């Protein structure tokens, strides 16, 4: 669980998470979908049950703005809601676990040849291309994907320009720069 905790410590912009899940809640969901979830994905839900990212949204191969959890009061972030709404478009042996503003989806594959792989699904092509032809396998575990998230370059440029005129410690806070904030505090600020 240390790797997931380390990733989450860095992702200060992860907001709107549901209450952390219990092992029993995760096992009940696994029984419901008929598949065992990867360990690192379960660990994430034991610590942070989904949520929205503001700036750490890309890792080069895929982007994500929302990570789904079991959050029935917030259907946009809810695993079950997405499974039901997209049931006629996403095969049952895939589980949608996040999206990038609703067009690119992050899924777990539970097929025989892709079991446990993260797949990026481009929904913009769903009307003309079968699901299995618009999915792109990411060569990462969930924890590697999560730890690899960094700022979107356009958003980072905007943040840097906006923050340039802001004094410390507010600049570091706006940029989610924990090292800059620590340096400010260590310097007596």
């Amino acid at each position: 669980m240390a790797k997931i905790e380390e990733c989450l410590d860095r992702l200060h912009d992860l907001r709107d998470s549901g209450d952390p899940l219990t092992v029993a809640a995760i096992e009940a969901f696994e029984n419901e979908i008929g598949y065992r979830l990867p360990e690192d994905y379960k660990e994430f839900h034991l610590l942070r049950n989904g949520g929205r990212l503001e700036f750490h949204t890309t890792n080069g191969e895929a982007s994500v703005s929302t990570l789904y959890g079991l959050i029935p009061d917030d259907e946009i972030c809810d695993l079950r809601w997405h499974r039901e709404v997209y049931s006629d478009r996403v095969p049952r042996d895939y589980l949608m676990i996040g999206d990038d503003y609703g067009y690119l989806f992050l899924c777990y594959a539970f097929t025989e040849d892709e079991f446990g792989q993260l797949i990026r699904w481009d929904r913009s092509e769903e009307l003309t291309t079968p699901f299995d032809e618009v999915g792109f396998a990411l060569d990462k575990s969930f924890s590697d994907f999560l730890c690899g998230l960094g700022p979107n370059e356009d958003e980072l440029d905007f943040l840097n320009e906006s923050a340039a005129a802001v004094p410390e410690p507010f600049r570091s806070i706006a940029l989610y720069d924990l090292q800059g904030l620590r340096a400010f505090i260590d310097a007596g600020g």
Side-chain angles (χ1 to χ4, degrees):
M1 197 169 314
K3 185 171 184 174
I4 291 289
E5 287 174 333
E6 180 182 314
C7 298
L8 291 173
D9 283 346
R10 198 178 53 73
L11 296 175
H12 302 287
D13 56 329
L14 181 61
R15 310 242 186 273
D16 302 326
S17 294
D19 292 333
L21 297 179
T22 63
V23 171
I26 293 171
E27 288 172 352
F29 182 68
E30 288 176 324
N31 289 335
E32 181 182 321
I33 65 171
Y35 298 104
R36 295 284 168 234
L37 299 171
E39 288 302 315
D40 58 349
Y41 188 62
K42 291 191 271 192
E43 290 170 5
F44 168 73
H45 286 286
L46 291 169
L47 296 168
R48 299 286 291 274
N49 181 18
R52 291 180 178 87
L53 289 158
E54 292 182 42
F55 300 108
H56 290 87
T57 59
T58 186
N59 75 357
E61 286 186 286
S63 297
V64 64
S65 59
T66 304
L67 293 167
Y68 309 147
L70 295 176
I71 312 171
D73 296 340
D74 185 356
E75 58 191 29
I76 299 302
C77 287
D78 188 56
L79 285 161
R80 285 185 181 102
W81 184 85
H82 282 88
R83 190 157 175 85
E84 180 61 32
V85 167
Y86 289 92
S87 64
D88 61 334
R89 295 178 270 180
V90 177
R92 297 309 272 177
D93 47 5
Y94 290 83
L95 177 66
M96 297 169 65
I97 65 168
D99 69 68
D100 184 16
Y101 303 107
Y103 291 98
L104 294 174
F105 288 89
L106 190 61
C107 305
Y108 257 121
F110 296 105
T111 60
E112 187 175 315
D113 55 335
E114 297 176 314
F115 193 87
Q117 272 192 309
L118 283 175
I119 306 291
R120 185 192 74 189
W121 174 47
D122 185 349
R123 189 180 134 203
S124 67
E125 299 179 32
E126 74 174 308
L127 297 176
T128 58
T129 311
F131 179 88
D132 60 349
E133 292 179 25
V134 294
F136 172 74
L138 303 177
D139 191 23
K140 298 183 178 340
S141 65
F142 178 77
S143 56
D144 288 341
F145 178 82
L146 193 67
C147 289
L149 288 175
N152 176 307
E153 291 302 320
D154 294 334
E155 292 170 351
L156 186 59
D157 289 344
F158 172 76
L159 274 177
N160 282 323
E161 289 171 16
S162 301
V166 178
E168 288 293 352
F170 305 107
R171 180 180 187 283
S172 292
I173 293 168
L175 294 173
Y176 299 96
D177 179 8
L178 188 57
Q179 289 178 327
L181 187 57
R182 284 188 180 133
F184 175 80
I185 292 168
D186 290 345

